[in-house]
Amino acid sequence: MQPLRLFPLSLAALSAIFTTVSATVAPNNRDPNHSDPLCRCLPDHPCWPSSAVWSAFKETVNGNLIATFPAARECHDPYYDKAKCDEIKKGYYDDGWRRTTPGALLQTNWETFHGQGCLGTNQSTPCYRGAVPIYTVKATSIGDVQETVRFASKHNIRLAIKNTGHDFLGRSTAPSSISLWVTAMNDMQVVDAFVTDGAPQGTQSEAAIVLGPGALWEDVYKFIDPYERVVIGGGYRSVGAVGGFCLGGGHGPLSPRHGLCADNVLQYKVITADGEVRIANDYQNQDLFWALRGGAPGFAVVVEAVYRTHPALKNINYAQAIIFSSDTDSIDKVVRDFYSRHDGWSKEGWSGYAAARGNGILIQYFLPDAGIDQAKESIQPFLDYARSFNTVVVVNDTVSQYPTFYTMFQAFQARGDELFGEKMAGVNALLGSRLIPRTLFQSDRGIDLLSSTLAKVQDDLTQIWPKAGFLVEFVAGGQVSLGNSQDTSVSPAWRDALVLIIGVIEWSDDTPYGTQLVLQRKLTKSINRLRKISPGGGTYQNEADPNEPDWQESFFGTNYPRLRSVHDKYDPNGLFVCRRCVGSEDWDNDLLCRTHH
């Protein structure tokens, strides 16, 4: 569930990047040039490559080098162009337009840097480069990826890896960087009998799907459906199927049935920081393979992923309901009852997503391989309880059955469009989250503690943003609980959890930067309430607070020391450094200068 331009110039116009769009350079105590190898090279320093060097590099990547600018640039003076601005306005809030535009991201706050950016379409609003990369390489081959990695390493330039820009920690972009954009590398192949490279003779084959790094989950689900197989992927159409999603663990509607995405990886092909192609699986580069299954981005660039597939479902039931009330006492009791049923629903095989606000809750849950009468009988007692209050309204409560996962997914996405409209992107947003352990759902005391805490979180979030609420992602338990850190680097907190709670806040483009920082601190403080009731737990790094306290423990748990060791082996100079990724504690807040070595 979602909580939530291309105007290149020629290489000869390199200087225009800094005269026509204000460049924002991170304030550092050191001057990032060749005299200080601990800092990245920046465009206004002597170490920056000349136009001739950039031209030569363009040839090595088959002409796929794009001078990159803020996505809304032509809507702002002095660069205003009415025709181009009209096109920008049509796509500004559309995630499809954003993921196909080099300088755009899903959340616009990550396009800014220290509060400066080029947001919205108000002609008189200043336009700054912000965190938009200087150049983008739209890679079409493994060779393009290798050349880009080698070029960034040789010239000490910050490198950002991007597919869709669907990243809630802003890891798909970086100021004064080269963007390695893999969206065009979207090949897909179903393999009936895959055997990992280097496996001994006689190794049992498995049904699999082979994906390029630019594949999207919606396309993958459609592609695999005729083969009568399913694959474990995300719950939103435009999430990339390879890269950050699975590297960070990766959850979806079928995770309780078949595990996290990371639990289903059979093999990766990657480019490491030395520019070399490496295979990572159970027989080759085993340490890297372990790290890539839950350890987040920052180890290598994935150029091919092989995922295990599973037999098609017999059917899948899709239950929906909207429940609301103006009476706080009544809706609080209904919501408490909702939480109290999750342990039982988990054992029956349910999963799904709910969105809660102060006066109500929207539920979209799934039950695979069950009769529709069984699904209705399971969910009906809760709906009956909600209706027992005269002040509570229950609407759109339905249970529908679909023959395949893909047909259900299409209905689920269409329902999301109907409920939330098209404004799913192009906004400033931050998340804060916590994995809630199953034990809290197994006693009245635990349910009372969770319900009262979430009510306080809701009050906190509403004070930050009046429309705020939180998501209940019912994607753990079941097979997710059976995984372990011997096989993958997924945080142990996932194995004890039943749901992931995510708080969401937004703010307008004209909110002063100082106020934005205050809102961020309030979000972190609010989610601290969930941290206190789940000591020793953690959260899902891909849907987390970028200011998460003790993030190494929260994101990775006891796996962190081993992950750090693997990282330092394969990327000793931090070429792939990204926000709250393994090893990023050695860098300043802007990830431009190394503070420890």
Side-chain angles (χ1 to χ4, degrees):
M1 191 169 189
Q2 177 65 17
L4 354 283
R5 303 153 193 161
L6 177 57
F7 304 108
L9 297 185
S10 67
L11 290 168
L14 176 64
S15 62
I17 296 175
F18 308 106
T19 58
T20 63
V21 179
S22 302
T24 306
V25 178
N28 290 300
N29 293 327
R30 294 191 293 271
D31 185 23
N33 55 39
H34 278 312
S35 65
D36 191 347
L38 295 180
C39 290
R40 295 293 187 217
C41 181
L42 298 181
D44 56 348
H45 288 89
C47 56
W48 191 256
S50 66
S51 295
V53 172
W54 284 107
S55 294
F57 172 54
K58 182 176 182 178
E59 294 301 314
T60 69
V61 293
N62 302 297
N64 296 320
L65 185 67
I66 304 167
T68 308
F69 298 93
R73 178 174 177 264
E74 276 75 8
C75 284
H76 298 261
D77 287 335
Y79 330 108
Y80 183 79
D81 181 307
K82 184 180 185 305
K84 292 180 179 179
C85 183
D86 286 345
E87 291 302 310
I88 292 170
K89 289 178 179 178
K90 290 179 183 178
Y92 193 85
Y93 297 110
D94 177 64
D95 66 344
W97 180 84
R98 290 195 156 273
R99 61 180 168 78
T100 55
T101 301
L105 298 173
L106 190 73
Q107 274 78 43
T108 48
N109 46 300
W110 296 118
E111 297 172 20
T112 69
F113 186 59
H114 290 196
Q116 292 187 321
C118 190
L119 305 185
T121 56
N122 186 330
Q123 185 175 345
S124 63
T125 302
C127 181
Y128 299 93
R129 171 168 289 279
V132 175
I134 306 297
Y135 280 110
T136 294
V137 175
K138 189 176 182 180
T140 59
S141 68
I142 291 176
D144 289 348
V145 175
Q146 289 180 285
E147 291 296 338
T148 305
V149 168
R150 290 167 179 159
F151 185 87
S153 178
K154 177 181 178 180
H155 294 283
N156 192 28
I157 298 173
R158 179 82 185 276
L159 182 64
I161 317 301
K162 177 186 175 184
N163 176 15
T164 66
H166 187 124
D167 191 316
F168 297 114
L169 272 71
R171 298 171 297 189
S172 300
T173 192
S176 303
S177 68
I178 302 173
S179 172
L180 177 52
W181 194 24
V182 298
T183 188
M185 298 174 66
N186 54 12
D187 291 344
M188 296 180 279
Q189 180 186 6
V190 170
V191 180
D192 292 332
F194 180 81
V195 178
T196 52
D197 294 3
Q201 188 173 4
T203 299
Q204 181 67 42
S205 64
E206 295 195 61
I209 187 167
V210 183
L211 301 175
L216 303 180
W217 277 121
E218 181 178 44
D219 297 333
V220 174
Y221 293 150
K222 181 179 181 180
F223 179 77
I224 201 173
D225 187 58
Y227 292 89
E228 298 185 349
R229 307 290 297 180
V230 294
V231 61
I232 308 310
Y236 189 66
R237 63 166 70 91
S238 67
V239 175
V242 182
F245 172 80
C246 205
L247 294 175
H251 68 72
L254 294 181
S255 287
R257 186 177 181 85
H258 293 301
L260 298 171
C261 181
D263 297 325
N264 287 275
V265 181
L266 298 177
Q267 180 171 288
Y268 278 126
K269 181 182 290 184
V270 301
I271 309 301
T272 46
D274 56 5
E276 295 300 313
V277 178
R278 299 182 193 276
I279 298 296
N281 58 32
D282 285 334
Y283 306 100
Q284 301 181 55
N285 300 301
Q286 294 96 325
D287 55 349
L288 182 59
F289 187 46
W290 175 83
L292 292 171
R293 289 177 293 163
F299 292 85
V301 183
V302 177
V303 293
E304 181 184 277
V306 184
Y307 297 154
R308 176 184 296 111
T309 64
H310 302 270
L313 304 176
K314 297 174 183 177
N315 58 60
I316 184 166
N317 297 280
Y318 174 18
Q320 306 178 59
I322 298 175
I323 304 169
F324 59 94
S325 175
S326 59
D327 180 62
T328 301
D329 183 62
S330 296
I331 197 65
D332 284 350
K333 290 177 180 177
V334 171
V335 170
R336 184 202 179 280
D337 184 77
F338 173 65
Y339 296 135
S340 73
R341 297 179 185 273
H342 277 71
D343 187 49
W345 283 341
S346 174
K347 293 172 182 175
E348 294 176 17
W350 286 93
S351 65
Y353 307 90
R357 285 186 176 172
N359 66 336
I361 187 166
L362 163 68
I363 303 164
Q364 300 188 87
Y365 277 11
F366 317 109
L367 181 63
D369 287 355
I372 191 169
D373 289 340
Q374 177 185 343
K376 290 178 177 179
E377 289 172 4
S378 175
I379 209 81
Q380 194 61 45
F382 166 65
L383 299 176
D384 289 343
Y385 178 78
R387 285 194 169 97
S388 70
F389 294 88
N390 293 331
T391 56
V392 173
V393 178
V394 180
V395 297
N396 296 337
D397 54 314
T398 62
V399 178
S400 304
Q401 189 174 91
Y402 294 87
T404 69
F405 176 80
Y406 178 58
T407 54
M408 181 283 295
F409 185 79
Q410 288 178 300
F412 175 49
Q413 298 301 298
R415 180 61 170 154
D417 293 342
E418 179 184 339
L419 290 169
F420 303 111
E422 295 300 319
K423 193 173 180 180
M424 300 286 285
V427 297
N428 304 295
L430 280 186
L431 312 184
S433 64
R434 193 69 174 177
L435 286 163
I436 307 301
R438 179 187 285 272
T439 53
L440 279 179
F441 294 88
Q442 294 178 324
S443 69
D444 287 341
R445 181 178 180 182
I447 293 296
D448 288 341
L449 179 61
L450 177 61
S451 300
S452 62
T453 302
L454 285 174
K456 294 174 183 176
V457 171
Q458 174 66 65
D459 290 343
D460 294 341
L461 296 178
T462 303
Q463 291 179 30
I464 300 172
W465 179 47
K467 296 182 180 180
F470 56 85
L471 303 176
V472 180
E473 299 197 329
F474 187 21
V475 292
Q479 192 63 35
V480 174
S481 300
L482 301 180
N484 62 71
S485 294
Q486 299 297 319
D487 301 322
T488 72
S489 53
V490 168
S491 169
W494 267 110
R495 310 309 184 183
D496 299 326
L498 191 60
V499 304
L500 174 68
I501 299 291
I502 304 175
V504 184
I505 64 167
E506 295 183 13
W507 60 89
S508 62
D509 291 340
D510 59 359
T511 302
Y513 183 53
T515 303
Q516 295 177 33
L517 296 179
V518 171
L519 297 180
Q520 293 175 26
R521 287 193 291 269
K522 288 182 176 180
L523 172 66
T524 302
K525 183 177 180 181
S526 178
I527 301 301
N528 275 340
R529 296 184 185 275
L530 296 177
R531 298 181 184 105
K532 289 178 180 178
I533 67 171
S534 55
T539 194
Y540 177 43
Q541 57 192 275
N542 286 343
E543 295 176 303
D545 183 352
N547 302 303
E548 179 77 23
D550 301 319
W551 59 270
Q552 295 95 329
E553 173 67 22
S554 184
F555 293 173
F556 307 104
T558 54
N559 292 330
Y560 193 77
R562 183 180 172 191
L563 283 167
R564 182 60 199 263
S565 177
V566 176
H567 175 272
D568 291 352
K569 174 183 176 180
Y570 288 96
D571 187 16
N573 296 318
L575 179 66
F576 301 126
V577 66
C578 50
R579 185 177 287 103
R580 295 297 186 258
C581 295
V582 175
S584 63
E585 66 268 35
D586 288 353
W587 295 76
D588 63 14
N589 289 335
D590 299 320
L591 303 180
L592 291 172
C593 284
R594 202 161 188 163
T595 56
H596 298 89
H597 191 65

